Amino acid sequence: MASQTVITVQPQFSAAQQRGEWQTGLMDCCSDCGVCLCGTFCLCCLSIQVAGDMDECCLCGSSVAIRTLYRTRYNIPGSILGDFCATWWCTPCSLCQLKRDIKRRREMGIFW
């Protein structure tokens, strides 16, 4: 009679996501002048670019939902209230920060 191996403990795999950070600050507009100029003079265009980068509806680029989705996707600390405040009171800065972050993550090969 052949012996049978009985597994009593299931192997575990844990892939804890590391805590993320924004690549640039909310007010770091000068770190990418092209994004800053686009955000200053054509906010609608920048909003559409961000939404396209995130594979979302073009009308959602400057929304709290996009910022929250991005922040949770990359495990960046914060809250929906913080996302709301940044988006409501500083829409151009918030959108520019998102676009700069997307560009930098793309350059590093970690944007998905």
Side-chain angles (χ1 to χ4, degrees):
M1 178 175 243
S3 93
Q4 294 180 339
T5 303
V6 177
I7 298 174
T8 58
V9 178
Q10 188 70 15
Q12 299 292 317
F13 176 75
S14 175
Q17 190 175 12
Q18 294 181 3
R19 181 178 171 167
E21 296 292 330
W22 288 106
Q23 302 297 310
T24 61
L26 187 62
M27 302 296 183
D28 287 344
C29 291
C30 294
S31 64
D32 188 326
C33 291
V35 169
C36 181
L37 289 171
C38 187
T40 302
F41 296 108
C42 193
L43 191 62
C44 182
C45 296
L46 187 60
S47 178
I48 291 169
Q49 286 178 16
V50 168
D53 291 338
M54 298 283 294
D55 291 328
E56 295 293 330
C57 170
C58 66
L59 302 176
C60 300
S62 61
S63 70
V64 174
I66 286 285
R67 186 172 176 87
T68 302
L69 172 68
Y70 189 85
R71 190 177 47 73
T72 55
R73 181 180 288 177
Y74 291 102
N75 203 24
I76 298 170
S79 66
I80 294 174
L81 179 61
D83 295 334
F84 172 79
C85 291
T87 304
W88 183 259
W89 284 296
C90 214
T91 304
C93 296
S94 172
L95 203 52
C96 287
Q97 182 186 35
L98 267 172
K99 184 61 179 176
R100 287 191 309 268
D101 209 87
I102 289 168
K103 281 179 69 174
R104 293 205 177 168
R105 287 183 193 275
R106 216 177 241 145
E107 290 168 0
M108 293 187 294
I110 58 172
F111 179 73
W112 36 268

